[in-house]
Every structure is written in C-alpha cells, then in structure tokens.
Amino acid sequence: MKMNRKHALALAAGAVLAAGTGMVQAAVSAEEAAKLGRELTPVGAEKAGNAAGTIPAWDGGITRPPAGFRVGTFHIDPYAADKPLYSVTRANQAQYANVLSPGQKAMFAKYPTFRMDVYPTRRSASFPQRTYEFTKRNATQCKLVSNGEGVQNCAEGIPFPIPQNAYEVIWNHKLKYKGLSVLSYSNQAAPTANGNFTLTKVREELLGLYYKPGNTSENINNILLYFKQEVLGPARLAGQVLLVHETLNAAAAPRQAWVYNPGQRRVRRAPNVAYDNPGTASDGLRTNDMTDMFNGAMDRFNWELVGKKEMLVPYNAYKAHSDKTKVADLIRPGHLNPDHMRYELHRVWVVEAKLKEGMRHINSRRTFYVDEDSWQIMLIDHYDGQGNLWRYSDAPSVNYYEVPTFWSTLETHHDLKSGRYITMLLDNEDKVRDFGYQSTPANYSPQNLRTAGVR
C-alpha cells in the first residue's frame, strides 16, 4: 500500500499503544495543530488535491443548501448534472485493482450484474464552525485512556484530527458530529438470493451528549449517547424496543442495553447487544457492532493503522437517498441497483483489526476504509475464522447540508458466501432524518421502554 512521507511519519509517531500504561502518546503539538485550516482541512484531511488531478482540493465542502431546499424535505442533489466518468465492471475491473478493496473485487467475481459508476470527485463533506473550533482544541488536548477504550480532555469536535494510531482513527468515526438529537423512520431489508424481501420498519432516536454545547468528555457521566429503536413492522416483530446507553469509556463501564418484548410485556437487561451478536431482525447478516459501520468496545481486536490510499467509495449518494427512488427500485438480487449508486475517488485511512489471541468474535479480521474528509467509515472487508473474505460492507453517504454533517444514508452488508445481503436506513418512502428533534436524557430510562412499546 502506497504511503507518502507525511503518513509514514504519522504512523511512526505512535501506531501502537504504549504497553502496560493504559495510555498512548500525548496529543499533537501546537505547531502540528496549527496546520488545521491551512494545509489540512479543519478536521484533518489533506486540503490539496492529488498529483493526478483526479481528486480536487477541498474548498469548504457544501456550506449552504442548494436553492429550493426546505428543511424536512428530501435533499436536492447538488451534483445531479454530473455524468459518470467511467464504469467499473467484471470485464474491466482489473484495470482499477489499485483503487478497489478486496470486498469490491469479490463482488465483481460473484455477481456479473455488479457495476460501479464512477463520477467526478466532489469533496462535499462539511461540519458546523463550532465543530471545527473544538476539533482544533482537541488536537492538542484530547488523549486516549484505558488502552484505547476511552478518551479524555475532549469536547464536541473530532478528537484526533491528526491521528497517530488506529484507535484514534476509529474514535474519530465514533465521535464525528451527527447532530445533537436525531429522529428517523426507516426500513431494512434482507433479500433472499433471488431478491424477495420483507421490509422491517423501525423508528430510531439518538441523543448525543458529547455534542451538546458546554459538555466535555469529563462531565457527561461516561454516557456518549442514548439510542432507542422501536420495531413498527412487520406484525410479528412490532412492539420490540431496544434502548442503549453507549459509554465513552467501555473499560470503565461497558454499554448498558435493555429490550422490551411485547409478548412477555416486560423490560429486561440485554448484555448481548454488543460485539458479534446478531442485530435486530438481521437474519444473521450483520452483528451489533456493525451498526453505524462500527460501534462499541474495541477490546477484542488488535488495531493497526496501515496508512492512507486512494479508493473508489460510495460518495454523494443523493440518487439512492432520494424520495423519487422507490425501495423496490433499489433492491436487486445480490446487491443494490447500480443505476442508483454513485462512486467517487477519495483518500481514505486504512485500518486493520485482527482478533486478539484468546478472544471470541465471528470475524478473525476486519479492514476499515475511513474517509479523510468526514471520518465516516465508507467500506469494510470482513474475514471469517479461517481468514477467508466473508462479508463486504459499504455506506453510501451524503452531506445533510442543513446541519451540516456527512453521514451514511444507507448501510449495506453483503454475505459473499450465501449470496444474501442486508440493507438498512431505507427512508426513501418515509420521512427524512429529523435533526431538529427535541429530546432529553429523561426519555431514555429503562422504565419508559414498556410505554414506548405499546403506544
């Protein structure tokens, strides 16, 4: 994997946790942090384009919504006039091998109909000015603790915009700004190999205490965020409710989770909502720690920062996100409809996670590809216990420019052995994510679950 000198120096500075200390090296120097907003973007990406001119310079991303957009409606595609530069297919994919992941290559090998239409690269990612300001503060203050399982001296922004190791890259994904309080109605589908599917409709709430103005990593009682998921359909699953209190330091206190089962009409603790236990209504096609591409504790794997490279990733996926695109138009046997997908060439950080000796997980290894402009995990390659490629995940993403934040509009996890996949966050025929939703921590007590399940 190619790395330039800047990346090599960053890795040499501290790619591995200091043995036995529970801590890593201190935050970067003020001199390094001063690069943010100059040669680096405010969140730490290289501001310049690439030498070939195929990746442009970052010019601020989307700083205001397109004309005609109204909050509460689906997002207008700012790049609707773009035409594909080329398409990658099974026939020509060898020409593009250096910008494809092993998982993408496996998709071409398995599905003759899989195609990647590649469009001009638009570095659309942007965040609020407050996020930029706190990111710069974090750069010289924020530190990892508890062998990478927690952070301290951080507030609101990206914690490690100039990452020194893999843990910091993954924490950047976990803590990137998503809005303070979010409500969404969406569907997930797990088609059979021939494309038949039943939608599972869910209502989800997220309240992120880390992002609230005035909060810091030290004053939120180790609660990073609250998450509540209610299953609205089909009838056999309706009424199930999941509540999660996600912690900022999993070593100090692991996440707490509860479920309400309408058949039993009682709330119970759910310590199995973690790691590789199956996700809600997933047919075993995704694990709990694959939600939002990756979440939760990191302690079962050894993490290595491999470097940065250019790759084709599902970016500015406004066509797939549109309310004019019906769910039935998106879902096809084996994969989503390529006619509605958009890929672009972007620089990504590459992180390897390998299962620790003596630890249990269905994956022996996972490779994460993290967008430099947004810290969104764009792709993942998952390997089974024998070290063979098993699953491929991608996260078609858009800039929710009313916030603004760059975040996944879909998450799709492909099982390359069974020929099945599960796709999540399908809100095309529902309501768009509501970033103005008002909520408080009091709404996320276990005592409230039974009420939520029967309303």
Side-chain angles (χ1 to χ4, degrees):
M1 182 172 297
K2 295 181 179 179
M3 281 191 294
N4 64 29
R5 183 172 180 273
K6 184 189 302 181
H7 304 151
L9 290 173
L11 296 183
V16 182
L17 287 168
T21 65
M23 298 280 289
V24 293
Q25 70 285 345
V28 301
S29 68
E31 181 182 14
E32 282 290 301
K35 295 177 182 178
L36 296 169
R38 296 191 327 207
E39 55 261 56
L40 300 178
T41 73
V43 299
E46 295 174 60
K47 185 178 283 189
N50 64 357
T54 49
I55 296 176
W58 183 81
D59 62 0
I62 300 177
T63 56
R64 61 176 60 86
F69 170 75
R70 291 182 295 105
V71 174
T73 63
F74 276 80
H75 296 76
I76 297 169
D77 184 354
Y79 312 118
D82 286 353
K83 304 298 181 186
L85 301 173
Y86 57 90
S87 294
V88 185
T89 65
R90 174 187 281 189
N92 69 3
Q93 56 107 0
Q95 300 175 37
Y96 305 99
N98 63 325
V99 292
L100 299 173
S101 80
Q104 290 170 328
K105 294 173 186 177
M107 292 290 289
F108 286 115
K110 189 169 185 68
Y111 302 110
T113 51
F114 185 65
R115 186 181 84 244
M116 296 169 59
D117 292 337
V118 181
Y119 288 77
T121 298
R122 304 290 191 173
R123 296 180 68 180
S124 58
S126 60
F127 295 95
Q129 184 61 35
R130 188 177 179 93
T131 297
Y132 296 151
E133 293 168 1
F134 277 87
T135 295
K136 195 161 189 175
R137 294 188 199 181
N138 287 340
T140 58
Q141 299 176 12
C142 197
K143 297 180 182 180
L144 292 173
V145 295
S146 303
N147 290 314
E149 284 301 300
V151 298
Q152 70 177 27
N153 300 333
C154 308
E156 298 189 46
I158 301 297
F160 306 105
I162 305 175
Q164 308 298 298
N165 57 62
Y167 292 82
E168 293 183 351
V169 170
I170 298 301
W171 271 109
N172 287 347
H173 168 79
K174 290 167 63 170
L175 294 183
K176 77 185 187 72
Y177 184 71
K178 304 178 182 73
L180 174 60
S181 183
V182 186
L183 171 66
S184 66
Y185 290 86
S186 64
N187 297 277
Q188 66 180 32
T192 60
N194 63 9
N196 293 328
F197 65 92
T198 299
L199 291 178
T200 299
K201 186 176 180 64
V202 296
R203 178 188 186 275
E204 295 179 332
E205 297 180 29
L206 182 151
L207 176 62
L209 297 189
Y210 176 80
Y211 313 119
K212 185 176 180 180
N215 279 356
T216 72
S217 52
E218 280 61 62
N219 71 1
I220 55 178
N221 196 29
N222 197 28
I223 299 294
L224 166 59
L225 58 83
Y226 297 104
F227 173 78
K228 184 163 68 176
Q229 179 191 74
E230 304 172 38
V231 180
L232 304 180
R236 62 185 175 83
L237 300 174
Q240 294 183 20
V241 188
L242 166 67
L243 174 65
V244 175
H245 292 185
E246 184 72 349
T247 58
L248 196 62
N249 185 331
R255 75 159 47 132
Q256 298 182 77
W258 298 263
V259 294
Y260 171 74
N261 186 308
Q264 299 173 347
R265 299 184 65 81
R266 68 185 184 94
V267 175
R268 59 181 176 83
R269 291 292 297 267
N272 60 330
V273 180
Y275 299 111
D276 58 352
N277 287 288
T280 302
S282 66
D283 278 6
L285 293 169
R286 71 172 181 89
T287 57
N288 279 303
D289 62 5
M290 290 162 68
T291 300
D292 197 24
M293 297 300 274
F294 179 80
N295 72 93
M298 303 167 68
D299 60 329
R300 295 193 179 181
F301 290 83
N302 290 313
W303 298 79
E304 177 190 359
L305 183 53
V306 178
K308 191 187 285 189
K309 67 172 304 202
E310 297 175 4
M311 293 189 66
L312 296 177
V313 293
Y315 221 90
N316 293 312
Y318 290 97
K319 190 184 297 186
H321 168 79
S322 172
D323 58 341
K324 296 179 176 60
T325 300
K326 303 304 180 186
V327 170
D329 295 332
L330 272 173
I331 296 176
R332 293 288 184 269
H335 53 78
L336 297 179
N337 187 345
D339 293 343
H340 298 296
M341 310 308 292
R342 175 182 175 126
Y343 293 83
E344 298 179 6
L345 185 70
H346 285 262
R347 288 183 293 240
V348 298
W349 290 100
V350 182
V351 171
E352 288 280 6
K354 295 181 180 178
L355 189 63
K356 290 180 179 177
E357 186 175 354
M359 288 290 188
R360 185 191 66 81
H361 197 283
I362 61 172
N363 296 123
S364 63
R365 169 186 161 207
R366 286 187 281 192
T367 308
F368 298 85
Y369 305 90
V370 187
D371 174 39
E372 69 165 348
D373 284 338
S374 66
W375 301 106
Q376 170 67 43
I377 296 173
M378 305 301 299
L379 312 172
I380 313 172
D381 294 329
H382 311 256
Y383 295 80
D384 64 17
Q386 290 70 49
N388 300 313
L389 185 63
W390 178 12
R391 289 172 171 167
Y392 161 72
S393 300
D394 65 12
S397 300
V398 300
N399 186 324
Y400 291 87
Y401 36 67
E402 75 275 32
V403 182
T405 185
F406 189 87
W407 197 9
S408 53
T409 182
L410 291 173
E411 290 179 16
T412 305
H413 308 288
H414 300 84
D415 187 320
L416 295 162
K417 296 181 180 180
S418 69
R420 296 189 64 196
Y421 68 96
I422 185 168
T423 186
M424 306 162 58
L425 310 180
L426 292 159
D427 60 3
N428 308 63
E429 298 176 53
D430 288 278
K431 301 173 183 177
V432 72
R433 277 176 176 157
D434 180 3
F435 291 92
Y437 182 65
Q438 299 295 309
S439 190
T440 67
N443 295 335
Y444 302 99
S445 68
Q447 292 76 18
N448 287 340
L449 277 195
R450 189 169 182 269
T451 302
V454 298
R455 71 182 182 191

